[in-house]
Amino acid sequence: MADRSLPLGPYAAVFAPLPAEGRADAVRRRLGEAIALGLLPDGSMLPPESDLAERFGVATVTVREALGTLREDDLIVTRRGRGGGSFVKAPQDGGRAALLARLSHTGLGELRDLADHYGAISGHCAVLAARRADPDDLARLTRLAAHRPGHDDPSEEARHEGTFHLELAAAAQSARLTREEMALQREIGPVLWLADVEASAAGLSEREERSAHRHEAIVAAVASGDPDAARREAEDHVTELFEAVKALHRRMRTRRPR
């Protein structure tokens, strides 16, 4: 039987110790973010409650409370008995409908402000990755840059984009920056690459190819140890994502009934 436990490595930031206050909510939010981002894939088994408690630095009862809330949110399912445990239950549409609704109610000024912040974080992650990435980091980034999501599941485009940015943050070898990347993805990331998801759903490849080529350019700059080029490519990528989703935002506003 295949091992369905969750990989750690660059994903260790998911299970990093939590701040002191509101710990049950913090556990729920941390795991919920990871599920929404696709970092914890659909069907993956979460570690046992006792292991989660130890990794997060909280009491087992706190973890149990958080998992109960995630079950109510339909983000995990718990099975009893042999082979049981808590398993990730990702939204069937990958959160696409919710993201479209959110985009339609987000002002362009707010979207631009969030994109600016995201670009600054991505740019600095790229700088540090160019200075610190080890061969394993480069191998993961290279594989991701070469991958082309299929059109059968448009939400795969969002998961792929999110994973690439998280791996770039992990290659910076800064747990704090990785957690900041995760938080920003929850706040704005999936909305930023929504235009790529819609292009994938429509079977259009030009928009996706542009993002893929930008990924390759970022990895090339990181691999060559060129922090200035890495920052420029990462920031330009976020700018292109913002411009694409801004155009989608305008089309949605135009089609909205008055």
Side-chain angles (χ1 to χ4, degrees), residues 59-239:
T60 302
V61 67
T62 301
V63 169
R64 192 168 299 136
E65 179 183 346
L67 294 181
T69 304
L70 289 170
R71 276 191 293 274
E72 292 174 3
D73 293 341
D74 206 29
L75 291 176
I76 65 169
V77 59
T78 300
R79 302 170 193 152
R80 305 298 178 187
R82 186 177 181 181
S86 292
F87 297 83
V88 172
K89 184 180 179 184
Q92 289 190 355
D93 69 348
R96 175 174 171 264
L99 288 172
L100 285 168
R102 181 178 164 197
L103 177 61
S104 70
H105 292 94
T106 301
L108 276 179
E110 179 186 2
L111 188 61
R112 182 185 300 108
D113 204 33
L114 287 166
D116 288 344
H117 186 188
Y118 195 86
I121 295 298
S122 292
H124 195 59
C125 284
V127 166
L128 294 181
R131 294 171 178 166
R132 300 174 178 173
D134 60 30
D136 287 341
D137 293 326
L138 289 172
R140 286 192 297 271
L141 286 169
T142 299
R143 283 196 299 272
L144 283 168
H147 178 66
R148 299 295 188 270
H151 290 161
D152 291 341
D153 180 9
S155 64
E156 185 188 352
E157 179 69 36
R159 290 194 295 272
H160 176 65
E161 189 71 46
T163 301
F164 179 84
H165 284 270
L166 283 166
E167 288 287 5
L168 183 63
Q173 299 183 17
S174 167
R176 186 177 292 273
L177 274 176
T178 303
R179 290 195 293 273
E180 178 70 8
E181 171 67 32
M182 288 177 64
L184 277 171
Q185 283 202 22
R186 184 181 76 86
E187 186 174 14
I188 186 60
V191 174
L192 265 184
W193 44 77
L194 189 51
D196 283 3
V197 174
E198 292 301 286
S200 179
L204 304 175
S205 60
E206 180 183 354
R207 174 66 244 159
E208 299 169 79
E209 282 299 316
R210 192 174 303 163
S211 286
H213 290 323
R214 187 65 75 176
H215 289 174
E216 292 169 347
I218 293 169
V219 174
V222 169
S224 65
D226 188 339
D228 291 335
R231 181 195 295 277
R232 182 174 61 252
E233 294 292 349
E235 290 179 348
D236 286 351
H237 180 40
V238 173
T239 297

